[in-house]
Amino acid sequence: MGVLERLRKEWFILGIVLVIAVARLEPTVGVKGGPLKPEITITYIAVSAIFFNSGLSLKTEELTSALMHVKLHLFVQIFTLVFFPTAIWLFLQLLSITPINEWLLKGLQTVGCMPPPVSSAVILTKAVGGNEAAAIFNSAFGSFLVSSAIFLASALIVLFLTLGSSSSVPFTSIFSQLFMTVVVPLIIGQIVRRYIKDWLERKKPPFGAISSCVLLMIIYTTFCDTFANPNIDLDKFSLIIIVFIIFSVQMSFMFLTFLFSTRDNSSFTPADTVAIIFCSTHKSLTLGIPMLKIVFAGYEHLSLISVPLLIYHPAQILLGSLLVPTIKSWMVSRQK
């Protein structure tokens, strides 16, 4: 693969690095109250655009392709939304006594609460030759119930970050904004899709690229607020440790899901195991960043809270891509 082709393939990850660098050079452009007016253009318009785009692009008929594999879907959803955040919370109780930046640790907890991603797990499952229908179902299921997933994940974030804390949380304002900027645009997108479905199937608009571009705007303004605040300092030690923890967590959880799904009494096929490994351990950046923007609106440390999720996204793609040949050879040998 040539350099230009590699750059074209990884344009979004490069875009994240670029917008953070631009925010560092001139943070006043994207700060709250600045020329871009992010308190309106990002908080309401950009976030709503992402979920309208999700509603417009979601093929609800895909939900029926693997509907009957209930045990696999339950495994993925319980691992993702129950085991994952609980295990991270317990682990963070140990890390809380270390000098690691507390806002990065809070960000690590929010990663654990995120719903599954829409595409990366499906792409990697397909690359290995695993149960693609099951992967599509869990991605489509998470997208179709994105409003529920957003509300559940937001509730999990609030629960774990306030557990043992006396701080009050503005539940009403958080969930009312979630409803207006997530649920309503998603429903409108699904309604519009019904009337232009044939046109969408014929033209195949680049929904993923559109959401990614809007997401880059959100990331840019988030980091503008950080670099414009002289009181925020991120030490390199904390950042390096968080990167190490994220890779360790992903490897450990992938190994755990492999062990659980290959037990003698599990009844999962090798192809099922492949879908489980990727769907259970991947977290959504597309849904996550807008969610954090709403839940932590007004927090001066929002960008620090976002850092672990920004690291987790490329890490899950990198690790998954590196493990594709190994997992594929294992699956083929088991099937023989």
Side-chain angles (χ1 to χ4, degrees):
M1 184 181 291
V3 176
L4 288 177
E5 188 178 349
R6 170 61 68 179
L7 291 175
R8 196 179 299 114
K9 185 177 180 181
E10 306 295 344
W11 71 271
F12 180 64
I13 294 174
L14 293 172
I16 292 176
V17 175
L18 179 62
V19 296
I20 292 175
V22 172
R24 181 71 180 89
L25 290 173
E26 193 56 60
T28 56
V29 175
V31 294
K32 186 176 181 179
L36 290 183
K37 300 294 181 185
E39 61 274 17
I40 298 173
T41 57
I42 300 299
T43 303
Y44 294 100
I45 299 174
V47 173
S48 298
I50 283 182
F51 291 104
F52 172 77
N53 190 51
S54 295
L56 200 60
S57 63
L58 179 62
K59 299 178 181 179
T60 50
E61 57 272 17
E62 288 183 342
L63 292 171
T64 60
S65 64
L67 185 61
M68 301 310 294
H69 211 328
V70 177
K71 186 177 179 181
L72 187 151
H73 308 320
L74 282 175
F75 183 100
V76 171
Q77 299 302 322
I78 290 173
F79 190 95
T80 303
L81 296 174
V82 178
F83 177 82
F84 203 129
T86 304
I88 293 294
W89 182 80
L90 292 172
F91 181 50
L92 291 183
Q93 302 313 298
L94 299 175
L95 292 181
S96 63
I97 62 175
T98 68
I100 301 175
N101 186 291
E102 65 169 314
W103 296 102
L104 288 180
L105 293 181
K106 289 180 186 294
L108 197 58
Q109 182 65 73
T110 66
V111 170
C113 298
M114 292 298 165
V118 175
S119 60
S120 61
V122 177
I123 293 169
L124 290 169
T125 300
K126 184 177 182 179
V128 173
N131 190 337
E132 187 183 353
I136 288 174
F137 177 89
N138 279 281
S139 295
F141 182 75
S143 300
F144 182 70
L145 296 179
V146 70
S147 56
S148 299
I150 290 290
F151 278 100
L152 176 58
S154 300
L156 286 172
I157 291 171
V158 170
L159 170 65
F160 281 107
L161 292 186
T162 58
L163 209 57
S165 171
S166 58
S167 59
S168 59
V169 179
F171 285 101
T172 304
S173 61
I174 288 175
F175 289 110
S176 62
Q177 187 172 346
L178 281 170
F179 181 79
M180 293 306 299
T181 57
V182 174
V183 182
V184 173
L186 183 77
I187 292 173
I188 293 173
Q190 279 282 280
I191 293 171
V192 172
R193 179 181 173 81
R194 291 181 60 186
Y195 293 99
I196 60 171
K197 181 180 176 181
D198 293 338
W199 181 86
L200 292 173
E201 292 294 334
R202 190 169 60 255
K203 295 295 184 179
K204 299 186 184 304
F207 292 114
I210 293 170
S211 288
S212 295
C213 289
V214 178
L215 195 57
L216 288 176
M217 289 177 57
I218 296 174
I219 294 170
Y220 167 71
T221 57
T222 298
F223 276 86
C224 281
D225 284 332
T226 296
F227 295 130
N229 189 336
N231 299 320
I232 294 179
D233 180 40
L234 175 59
D235 59 290
K236 294 179 180 178
F237 168 77
S238 293
L239 188 59
I240 292 170
I241 294 297
I242 287 296
V243 171
F244 175 76
I245 289 172
I246 285 172
F247 275 93
S248 300
V249 164
Q250 285 195 34
M251 288 297 296
S252 301
F253 283 4
M254 290 177 80
F255 183 64
L256 266 180
T257 54
F258 176 79
L259 288 181
F260 285 139
S261 60
T262 54
R263 291 178 304 168
D264 293 335
N265 61 343
S266 69
S267 74
F268 293 126
T269 67
D272 292 339
T273 295
V274 173
I276 286 171
I277 289 173
F278 292 125
C279 292
S280 299
T281 58
H282 282 208
K283 295 292 185 177
S284 175
L285 179 69
T286 305
L287 304 182
I289 292 296
M291 186 195 309
L292 294 181
K293 194 78 176 177
I294 295 170
V295 174
F296 296 101
Y299 276 62
E300 64 178 5
H301 295 92
L302 172 58
S303 60
L304 296 187
I305 296 173
S306 306
V307 164
L309 184 57
L310 291 172
I311 296 172
Y312 199 95
H313 175 76
Q316 69 189 10
I317 295 173
L318 175 62
L319 273 178
S321 301
L322 291 174
L323 290 172
V324 161
T326 304
I327 297 175
K328 188 171 186 176
S329 62
W330 167 83
M331 188 188 75
V332 171
S333 66
R334 283 293 298 272
Q335 287 175 331
K336 287 181 180 178

